Amino acid sequence: MRIACGIEYDGAGFSGWQRQDRARSVQAEVEAALSRVADQNVRVFCAGRTDAGVHASWQVVHFDTTAARSGRSWVLGGNANLPDEVRLLWTRQVDDGFHARFSARARSYRYVILNRQVRSALLRHHVAWDHRPMDETRMQAGARYLVGEHDFSSFRAVACQAKSPLRTVRWISVKRSGDYLYLDIEANAFLHHMVRNIAGVLMAVGRGEREPEWVRDVLDQRDRTQGGVTASAGGLYLVGVRYPDNYLIGASGVLPCYG
């Protein structure tokens, strides 16, 4: 049978989602925990691989197994064998046509920026920080150029292995709550470092170093060297994965909100 799972994790202590030799990964921890519950080797496939230090409130995975367990058993047994930074939220049986990655129609991320003079002691691994004042209205004005289908070569990592740089951003918003800025974005899929590179460009606009129209210029140049700084990983959260309605899988998890 094929089982889908929802997972949340604090990525600060991991080298990323993907299993790696001699490095701690979320995937390896999840597979080890589920394998103990199933009493057989389990391999999981995720909706979106997150980088080192990136968090998730709504990662979706699937795995195949011949072990008959209730949903409650998968969740309780899995969590009993997981480190404190990782938790299974739910499981449900799905048909063999479901794939956590390829069945997904959209993914959404939230990027959190603490914008004040002093860095946070409590959230140092969970928000980006910039002491320079930023104007969220300027950032939103620049962000509107990213909506729609575009070649996002200027916003992809040099090492990105995606076959095509074309992606469709369905919506993007930048809002402030006290000292915190929230960048929310949904797209059909994302390139490696795409959200963090977008955040870096918009932060420069917010600080007044560039005009909002610069975002359009960076996009049109299709050249990563024109895209500015890659924002830090700690402020990034995978918060939603959208599937066709027939799978009965919710679209999003808890949004990190600090102010």
Side-chain angles (χ1 to χ4, degrees):
M1 68 187 75
R2 179 159 294 182
I3 306 294
C5 301
I7 303 175
E8 67 177 19
Y9 51 85
D10 178 341
F14 294 95
S15 60
W17 164 266
Q18 190 171 10
R19 186 191 316 104
Q20 301 176 43
D21 294 335
R22 297 181 296 277
R24 190 171 182 240
S25 71
V26 182
Q27 181 181 9
E29 296 286 359
V30 171
E31 289 179 340
L34 291 173
S35 294
R36 293 188 185 98
V37 177
D39 197 27
Q40 60 185 227
N41 288 333
V42 168
R43 183 181 181 190
V44 299
F45 300 85
C46 74
R49 290 179 294 182
T50 53
D51 292 332
V54 176
H55 320 290
S57 66
W58 197 257
Q59 175 71 274
V60 178
V61 309
H62 82 264
F63 63 94
D64 293 330
T65 181
T66 59
R69 305 285 187 271
S70 68
R72 177 180 171 83
S73 295
W74 285 118
V75 171
L76 294 181
N79 286 335
N81 289 285
L82 281 167
D84 291 341
E85 306 101 308
V86 186
R87 280 294 173 266
L88 299 181
L89 301 175
W90 52 266
T91 67
R92 63 176 298 109
Q93 187 172 344
V94 290
D95 63 57
D96 291 345
F98 176 86
H99 192 286
R101 176 184 175 191
F102 298 120
S103 297
R105 296 293 177 263
R107 297 152 179 87
S108 54
Y109 284 86
R110 167 166 280 196
Y111 194 81
V112 185
I113 305 161
L114 174 60
N115 187 211
R116 71 181 190 190
Q117 285 294 315
V118 180
R119 188 190 301 268
S120 173
L122 301 177
L123 300 176
R124 63 190 183 279
H125 298 306
H126 299 94
V127 298
W129 171 71
D130 198 317
H131 69 279
R132 295 162 289 187
M134 285 191 284
D135 184 341
E136 68 275 12
T137 59
R138 289 173 55 87
M139 296 170 73
Q140 181 64 56
R144 65 186 177 90
Y145 294 108
L146 302 174
V147 176
E149 183 180 69
H150 301 287
D151 181 328
F152 281 92
S153 293
S154 294
F155 295 93
R156 71 190 295 186
V158 174
C160 180
Q161 299 177 353
K163 294 180 180 179
S164 171
L166 294 178
R167 295 293 185 268
T168 301
V169 172
R170 298 184 175 178
W171 53 265
I172 181 171
S173 71
V174 182
K175 297 180 180 179
R176 177 182 286 276
S177 178
D179 291 330
Y180 294 89
L181 291 168
Y182 297 98
L183 164 60
D184 293 299
I185 182 170
E186 180 180 279
N188 63 331
F190 289 88
L191 301 165
H192 191 201
H193 285 178
M194 180 172 159
V195 180
R196 291 169 60 192
N197 289 334
I198 288 173
V201 166
L202 293 180
M203 289 168 73
V205 171
R207 293 190 297 265
E209 298 168 5
R210 299 280 190 166
E211 293 304 312
E213 292 76 17
W214 179 58
V215 179
R216 178 194 59 204
D217 296 340
V218 170
L219 185 67
D220 291 344
Q221 290 181 61
R222 303 179 184 180
D223 181 354
R224 175 66 198 116
T225 64
Q226 303 301 311
V229 175
T230 301
S232 62
L236 184 59
Y237 297 77
L238 173 61
V239 296
V241 186
R242 193 179 302 279
Y243 293 97
D245 293 342
N246 60 289
Y247 289 120
L248 302 176
I249 293 176
S252 62
V254 174
L255 288 174
C257 187
Y258 300 110

